[in-house]
Amino acid sequence: MFEGFTHTNLTANGAGINLRHAGSGPPLLLLHGYPQAHVM
């Protein structure tokens, strides 16, 4: 489902952050409102 994306886990200020990133150019942060599924 996420071909071409890299999966990364980060820890910042004690909070775990699960992210996927890909592409080039200026960064774009997309936040979803349904925490049970990152695919939604």
Side-chain angles (χ1 to χ4, degrees):
M1 179 172 271
F2 295 103
E3 297 87 16
F5 283 76
T6 301
H7 177 251
T8 305
N9 289 308
L10 300 174
T11 302
N13 296 325
I17 301 171
N18 181 34
L19 64 98
R20 295 186 189 273
H21 59 94
S24 61
L28 173 64
L29 175 62
L30 301 174
L31 299 174
H32 61 80
Y34 190 68
Q36 286 76 15
H38 70 280
V39 177
M40 302 187 83

